[in-house]
Amino acid sequence: MLEVRSGHIVALRLFDIAYAIDLRRVEEVWARYAGTASSRSRLQATPAKAVAFGVPPVTFNYDPIPLQMGALAATAAVTVRVYDFGVVALSLRVPAVDMSWADFSALLNTMDAHVGADGDSRLWDGLLARVRTLLAEALIRPNKSAIEEDYIIGTVHAFNERPAPGALQDQVDLVPLLSGEQRPLSDGARRDLLRQSFSYYTDDLVVVTWDRAFIYEPRGDSDVADVLEVANAQLLEMRYYDELLDDELPRMYRLVQSTRRTLNFLLPRRYADLARQLYTLVAEVTELTEKVDNALQVTEDVYLARIYTS
């Protein structure tokens, strides 16, 4: 088994907190609060003409926080990324240095157990409350949606020795890391889990599952992780509007039925009011879905496009 010399685990939690967010105002608020400038996110190693953010999100960092995960104590870097279509992505990053592959997998599974979907949400709730308070003046029609997305990524930048070209999966067992299972999986389950595997060079590897990913990137860039975050942000927003329509359309049907029972001379006006409400909702959903669709523009980078599509 190879040993991990340098890498990290990133736990992501994404929230929809507003109809839209004024990113210029976010930059101003952060500058007043921290006395330093935030940054506009861009992909590190990919030319802008190949893949680029439609509207680059604003990124800033809080001070690192202690993370107690059972018997394991760690210090996590905290990053906040704010998207103009109303989503905030919070990430906790824990370094992984000089450890066995088994310990690296265990660290990811431990983080997932404590701050993942089934872990304690109080840490995320506290961070989100800080962000809501800080960015209050930049939020356009803030909401209290309970919908959220979580994702966890294990990244290795260097092993104790270079893996044989194209043979990394033969030298480390990715299944416990990507599945969280300690018992052996069937051959069919292993194939399904590892099906979304991608490489661009002979010495890199990305394996994507629904809620986890493994990245081996010896050049140290974070483009793949950024693309995975954008995909999760888009998914979150689509889920939010799907739920909104699920709630709104039955209400519209009830209003139509009640309108039919009113006196005839009032019908045209009431139907016109209902139509305006429906048109407004459709216009808002259309506008936001266009923003979401354009959050990442992939034109020439086939490799990142394949990962993003998967």
Side-chain angles (χ1 to χ4, degrees), residues 205-268:
L205 177 68
V206 175
V207 186
V208 178
T209 71
W210 180 250
D211 56 358
R212 296 183 179 198
F214 169 73
I215 300 171
Y216 173 50
E217 177 46 74
R219 280 156 293 280
D221 73 67
S222 62
D223 289 1
V224 170
D226 290 340
V227 165
L228 293 176
E229 182 186 295
V230 175
N232 275 282
Q234 291 173 303
L235 175 63
L236 171 67
E237 197 69 358
M238 294 300 186
R239 287 182 57 211
Y240 172 77
Y241 276 95
D242 182 59
E243 185 171 280
L244 176 68
L245 291 172
D246 282 347
D247 293 340
E248 188 68 15
L249 291 180
R251 188 183 75 86
M252 296 295 290
Y253 293 144
R254 289 194 298 270
L255 288 173
V256 169
Q257 292 300 322
S258 65
T259 297
R260 286 177 176 170
R261 292 192 291 269
T262 62
L263 296 176
N264 287 338
F265 67 88
L266 294 176
L267 281 177

Side-chain angles (χ1 to χ4, degrees), residues 196 198-199 206 208 224 227-228 231 302-310:
Q196 301 283 8
F198 307 91
S199 291
V206 175
V208 178
V224 170
V227 165
L228 293 176
V302 177
Y303 174 61
L304 282 181
R306 289 172 60 208
I307 295 172
Y308 174 65
T309 301
S310 75

Side-chain angles (χ1 to χ4, degrees), residues 2 8 45 52 68 82 95 112 114 153 164-165 180-181 191 213 215 230 238 251 283 290 296-297:
L2 296 173
H8 55 263
Q68 189 66 44
V82 186
D112 189 50
H114 285 84
I153 303 171
E181 296 286 350
R191 283 194 300 271
I215 300 171
V230 175
M238 294 300 186
R251 188 183 75 86
E290 286 179 355
L296 193 70
Q297 299 170 350

Side-chain angles (χ1 to χ4, degrees), residues 19-289:
Y19 172 75
I21 303 176
D22 184 339
L23 297 188
R24 291 189 181 277
R25 188 65 62 84
V26 171
E27 291 172 318
E28 294 169 0
V29 168
W30 179 254
R32 290 201 309 265
Y33 171 80
T36 60
S38 54
S39 62
R40 288 293 185 118
S41 299
R42 60 179 297 275
L43 300 182
Q44 292 180 345
T46 307
K49 68 175 184 176
V51 181
F53 291 105
V55 177
V58 174
T59 303
F60 55 85
N61 300 310
Y62 281 133
D63 291 336
I65 60 173
L67 201 58
Q68 189 66 44
M69 301 176 289
L72 179 63
T75 299
V78 182
T79 298
V80 180
R81 187 169 286 163
V82 186
Y83 293 87
D84 70 324
F85 49 84
V87 170
V88 166
L90 307 178
S91 67
L92 301 176
R93 174 172 168 160
V94 172
V97 179
D98 294 332
M99 60 176 58
S100 68
W101 175 255
D103 287 343
F104 181 76
S105 293
L107 175 61
L108 186 143
N109 286 317
T110 299
M111 280 191 67
D112 189 50
H114 285 84
V115 298
D118 298 324
D120 191 342
S121 64
R122 288 175 296 180
L123 174 60
W124 298 111
D125 292 342
L127 288 172
L128 181 61
R130 287 179 64 186
V131 171
R132 284 185 185 276
T133 301
L134 177 67
L135 303 183
E137 64 187 79
L139 304 183
I140 301 168
R141 288 166 49 188
N143 64 56
K144 294 288 187 180
S145 170
I147 298 177
E148 56 191 58
E149 280 292 326
D150 64 275
Y151 206 79
I152 192 161
I153 303 171
T155 299
V156 174
H157 293 307
F159 288 103
N160 59 320
E161 60 185 58
R162 277 195 172 275
L168 179 58
Q169 292 194 59
D170 297 327
Q171 296 177 265
V172 296
D173 186 3
L174 293 173
V175 170
L177 181 145
L178 292 170
S179 68
E181 296 286 350
Q182 300 306 312
R183 296 175 59 189
L185 299 187
S186 68
D187 290 342
R190 290 177 65 90
R191 283 194 300 271
D192 288 342
L193 189 70
L194 302 174
R195 182 168 51 88
Q196 301 283 8
S197 299
F198 307 91
S199 291
Y200 188 73
Y201 298 106
T202 59
D203 63 346
D204 60 24
L205 177 68
V206 175
V207 186
V208 178
T209 71
W210 180 250
D211 56 358
R212 296 183 179 198
F214 169 73
I215 300 171
Y216 173 50
E217 177 46 74
R219 280 156 293 280
D221 73 67
S222 62
D223 289 1
V224 170
D226 290 340
V227 165
L228 293 176
E229 182 186 295
V230 175
N232 275 282
Q234 291 173 303
L235 175 63
L236 171 67
E237 197 69 358
M238 294 300 186
R239 287 182 57 211
Y240 172 77
Y241 276 95
D242 182 59
E243 185 171 280
L244 176 68
L245 291 172
D246 282 347
D247 293 340
E248 188 68 15
L249 291 180
R251 188 183 75 86
M252 296 295 290
Y253 293 144
R254 289 194 298 270
L255 288 173
V256 169
Q257 292 300 322
S258 65
T259 297
R260 286 177 176 170
R261 292 192 291 269
T262 62
L263 296 176
N264 287 338
F265 67 88
L266 294 176
L267 281 177
R269 180 174 178 179
R270 294 203 174 188
Y271 277 129
D273 289 341
L274 286 175
R276 277 192 293 272
Q277 293 179 44
L278 185 57
Y279 293 151
T280 299
L281 178 63
V282 169
E284 288 182 356
V285 172
T286 301
E287 179 185 5
L288 261 295
T289 52

